[in-house]
Amino acid sequence: MMPERSAMQPIGPLMIEHRLIERFITVIEDELQALRGGQAPDVALLREAVDFFRTYADRTHHGKEEDILFRALEKKELTEEQRRMMAELTAEHARGRELVDRLEAAAGEGDVDGITAVLDELIDFYPLHIFKEDRKFFRPVMEHFTDDEMRTLLMRMKTFDQGMIHEKYTRLVEVHEEHEEEEDERG
């Protein structure tokens, strides 16, 4: 039997983020029901959903998983099953990005059937993905890290999070600047 760990595990913040993603899934479930009830799409909510999934779920959350946790795990002697599952989770992250791209396109076109289909897929996708990470992957792979390694991973995640807000809003300003430059060139 392994000794009790004293350090907070790096999966803690990831699992907390999962709870927020699950809460947002409930929000889009409500939108899906409204659409099925004949209401017009809530365009503002759909834009927020695209932003939430791209910035929070993918760039911030999946970014920490792939860029920090999975990279650290690549250096460890994982079981074949753990390596297979890590590759599967990475592929699922790509699937999530594809779904969000489809949501953005459908919303941009006002395609209610497309919006409904993608929301349905997102609602099915995320809970299963989260369950797999929380219940089948995260806890078993923690055995590969020492307490010091876990503290280091936690610090890297904290540093990663601190840079996210700056990255998002730097990009926002850059997009507006590019738009201004294009207008200046035209006119």
Side-chain angles (χ1 to χ4, degrees), residues 60-154:
T60 302
H61 176 72
H62 293 158
K64 283 197 293 285
E65 289 176 346
E66 291 178 12
D67 297 345
I68 298 172
L69 179 61
F70 292 4
R71 277 194 184 151
L73 285 168
E74 286 171 0
K75 299 172 187 167
K76 299 293 184 177
E77 292 186 30
L78 302 179
T79 66
E80 189 172 315
E81 171 65 15
Q82 289 169 336
R83 287 210 183 276
R84 185 198 58 75
M85 188 170 291
M86 190 165 64
E88 193 175 294
L89 293 171
T90 300
E92 288 177 9
H93 294 168
R95 170 85 173 124
R97 286 189 284 279
E98 183 263 328
L99 289 171
V100 173
D101 288 346
R102 285 182 38 215
L103 177 61
E104 182 179 45
E109 296 167 5
D111 176 5
V112 177
D113 290 338
I115 294 166
T116 301
V118 176
L119 290 179
D120 215 11
E121 287 182 69
L122 283 166
I123 289 164
D124 287 342
F125 169 76
Y126 268 102
L128 293 173
H129 175 74
I130 288 169
F131 178 83
K132 188 183 300 181
E133 287 182 338
D134 282 357
R135 305 293 177 138
K136 296 182 177 187
F137 185 72
F138 282 167
R139 292 193 192 283
V141 298
M142 287 298 101
E143 71 187 25
H144 297 286
F145 296 110
T146 66
D147 284 354
D148 284 343
E149 289 171 323
M150 284 195 276
R151 277 189 286 277
T152 299
L153 289 172
L154 279 166

Side-chain angles (χ1 to χ4, degrees), residues 32 40 47 50 63 98 102 117 149 151 165 173 178 186:
L32 180 60
R47 275 194 298 263
V50 168
E98 183 263 328
R102 285 182 38 215
E149 289 171 323
R151 277 189 286 277
I165 194 85
V173 170
E178 289 168 7
R186 280 183 262 178

